[in-house]
Amino acid sequence: LKWIDQAEVELHRLLEDDGLEGVAGDRLCRLVRRVAAWLHRPVAHAAAQDSGPVEAKDDSGQKGSQLQKRIRGVLITALQNIDLQDENTLNCLESALSFIQGLLDQVDLVSPTAATRQWRQLASLIRGGNLREDDTKTSGRQKRVPRADCSGVLDGAYHPNKRVKGFPTVFQGDNAIQLQCSSCPATISSSWFFRHPGTGQVHVLVPEKGHYACKKRLGNTSPWIPASGVPSKLDRYDFLNFCHHMRESRYCKLCGGRNICEHQKIRHSCGTCRKLARQRAEEKK
């Protein structure tokens, strides 16, 4: 059980990190890959796996049921904070998502149980956020996000994913800005921009994951830098999602943003929340 305890604590710390940029985002993907290997299909007398903190009991036993519930909970929370429409992210999580999808193909998504509700959440996240009506009646192959809807670089020109393009703060300009990799001579261009709804300041959009080839070679994110000195903005959903109060939705107290705690403070800077998190971590040791 200490493995899932550590995973929950690590997830909490990663979500407290502002924006999950760079290394923190990579660590979240690695956490998903690790925890996904512990997941069981909800079948009685399923064999215990040797590669993770899995009990001999499965969902038919109280102990195994609670363990699997926590594993599913970690995966759901982590995937909710990952942009699965980003092509690089999909490549990074391909094996984990395929494994979860293989389990989903064996799950009855109709029965009204708490476990089924979690499986349906996983199915919704992996299949692009939408469960078709027949997905609750029969299993099917994974619904992959069409490549045209993903972010990527085509003929040297960057384009954001469909969800980012749909923000009223995002627009495509007439002139492209050249972007230089911070770790090698590679360059791409971006004609996509973000305009702050409050100040009106314009930033060129750049891929959050940086230069994929250098990231794979070096093991660290290599950001794209605008060659002309134009201010840049990562194409992360949270950074571009503004409410009608002209604030990032996650930080808006009036809208009940997800990064605002019950004490009406930004969650990662709330002393009371940090103290409670430390107490929970100590209790689990």
Side-chain angles (χ1 to χ4, degrees), residues 213-229:
C214 281
K215 179 179 179 180
K216 187 174 182 180
R217 176 172 57 89
L218 301 173
N220 295 314
T221 300
S222 297
W224 293 104
I225 309 297
S228 59

Side-chain angles (χ1 to χ4, degrees), residues 97-224:
L97 297 182
S98 297
F99 176 74
I100 297 173
Q101 180 59 44
L103 296 180
L104 282 168
D105 289 343
Q106 307 172 52
V107 174
D108 176 14
L109 297 178
V110 178
S111 57
T113 65
T116 300
R117 285 193 291 272
Q118 285 187 316
W119 283 109
R120 289 197 58 173
Q121 282 183 279
L122 285 171
S124 178
L125 289 165
I126 292 176
R127 294 169 181 172
N130 294 305
L131 265 180
R132 299 184 302 272
E133 182 178 354
D134 56 355
D135 282 335
T136 64
K137 300 177 182 178
T138 182
S139 60
R141 296 183 63 84
Q142 179 178 356
K143 180 182 177 183
R144 298 300 299 271
V145 178
R147 186 168 294 273
D149 291 346
C150 296
S151 62
V153 178
L154 181 62
D155 296 329
Y158 156 77
H159 60 87
N161 63 49
K162 183 178 180 180
R163 183 166 62 164
V164 167
K165 291 178 181 177
F167 282 122
T169 55
V170 172
F171 65 97
Q172 187 171 22
D174 296 329
N175 299 320
I177 303 297
Q178 189 177 42
L179 308 176
Q180 170 84 50
C181 174
S182 59
S183 302
C184 78
T187 60
I188 60 175
S189 64
S190 173
S191 59
W192 289 90
F193 299 88
F194 164 82
R195 180 181 288 110
H196 193 287
T199 65
Q201 186 176 15
V202 175
H203 301 70
V204 61
L205 280 184
V206 301
E208 177 193 6
K209 301 298 182 181
H211 186 202
Y212 181 70
C214 281
K215 179 179 179 180
K216 187 174 182 180
R217 176 172 57 89
L218 301 173
N220 295 314
T221 300
S222 297
W224 293 104

Side-chain angles (χ1 to χ4, degrees), residues 14-33:
L14 288 173
L15 295 183
E16 282 187 338
D17 185 86
D18 189 14
L20 291 172
E21 294 186 64
V23 176
D26 295 339
R27 287 173 58 193
L28 190 61
C29 288
R30 288 199 296 269
L31 178 65
V32 169
R33 293 200 302 267

